[in-house]
Amino acid sequence: STPFVVAVDGPSGSGKSSTARGVATRLSLAYLDTGAMYRAVTWALLQRGTDLGDPAAIARDAVDLRLESGTDPQAPTIAVDGADVSEAVRGDDVNAHVSPVAAVPEVRSMLVDQQRAIIAEATGGIVVEGRDIGSTVAPDAPVKVFLVADAQARAARRAAERGGADEAATAASLAARDAIDSTRATSPLTRADGAVQIDGTHLTLDEVVDAVVQLVEEAR
Ligand code: C5P
């Protein structure tokens, strides 16, 4: 039988990571941050000097990267070719370039295959967060959440996480990524069939986690 999957999708800064990790911790499930995988590919291509304006170059240089995802919700990690890049992938250069890299179909098919393999091994169940989990990676997931929040709330949260970064610049960066992520041809960010939308704007993290845990309890 396939492992129990909780799919958590939504735009940048909606609180997906905190929510997904909170749910996984509460229910002793594994956790997969698929955004970290797209970030790690982007980081590696930046290191390699790949022309990120050229989708063919991106596809060519991405294929032989070896990613390893650590699935502990308390300490998730991402490594590429043996180097732990968990911190490095959060930098501004990766933020600025990840969406065009993630729009390349060959990158997506490679990572979706890896994500499905990780899910298949998570026999105790797994919370998977991203943009296309409920629509593409795990369309049969018994629980699908589409987490949203006001643009201003998302920017304020992300700026605070980044040690008081400029809120207007953060809002612009989130909006730029969402625009590309929502309009790309291959599995754009969208609310999947059967996904329950939760608006976290006026909820605490605990309240959002409670809501998702309740959906899990109803589903299993
Ligand atoms: O979730 P996070 O903000 O770390 O994701 C970084 C970027 O990776 C997103 O803006 C998007 O371009 C891409 N992504 C994606 N599909 C996923 C997860 C992330 O395209 N499942």
Side-chain angles (χ1 to χ4, degrees):
S1 67
T2 53
F4 188 87
V5 176
V6 180
V8 180
D9 292 301
S12 308
S14 60
K16 291 186 304 294
S17 294
S18 310
T19 300
R21 292 173 64 180
V23 170
T25 301
R26 190 96 76 78
L27 298 173
S28 299
L29 303 173
Y31 162 72
L32 179 61
D33 177 1
T34 64
M37 299 170 77
Y38 290 94
R39 288 172 177 275
V41 169
T42 305
W43 180 88
L45 297 184
L46 284 166
Q47 292 287 307
R48 197 177 274 203
T50 303
D51 176 1
L52 299 185
D54 179 355
I58 292 172
R60 183 196 62 220
D61 288 353
V63 284
D64 57 331
L65 296 173
R66 288 187 315 102
L67 300 191
E68 276 170 272
S69 302
T71 58
D72 176 355
Q74 315 258 29
T77 55
I78 182 74
V80 57
D81 290 338
D84 188 320
V85 293
S86 308
E87 298 291 326
V89 300
R90 302 291 152 193
D92 286 336
D93 50 347
V94 172
N95 281 331
H97 292 100
V98 63
S99 288
V101 170
V104 176
E106 291 87 347
V107 171
R108 300 204 70 80
S109 61
M110 163 180 127
L111 294 188
V112 168
D113 285 351
Q114 292 181 16
Q115 290 155 15
R116 289 181 177 151
I118 293 166
I119 290 169
E121 284 180 9
T123 50
I126 186 165
V127 183
V128 186
E129 75 155 285
R131 303 292 187 290
D132 62 338
I133 310 308
S135 62
T136 302
V137 175
D140 296 331
V143 178
K144 298 183 192 180
V145 173
F146 194 67
L147 186 60
V148 299
D150 285 358
Q152 202 196 333
R154 295 192 283 121
R157 186 196 334 253
R158 195 44 73 84
E161 271 170 17
R162 295 171 66 83
D166 181 66
E167 212 173 291
T170 304
S173 157
L174 293 182
R177 279 205 282 141
D178 286 346
I180 300 173
D181 294 345
S182 304
T183 56
R184 69 179 174 227
T186 309
S187 48
L189 169 66
T190 175
R191 178 176 164 185
D193 281 347
V196 176
Q197 181 158 316
I198 298 177
D199 185 338
T201 307
H202 302 294
L203 300 176
T204 65
L205 173 60
D206 264 352
E207 288 170 333
V208 178
V209 171
D210 285 343
V212 178
V213 166
Q214 194 177 326
L215 292 173
V216 172
E217 279 162 0
E218 286 163 14
R220 63 174 188 185

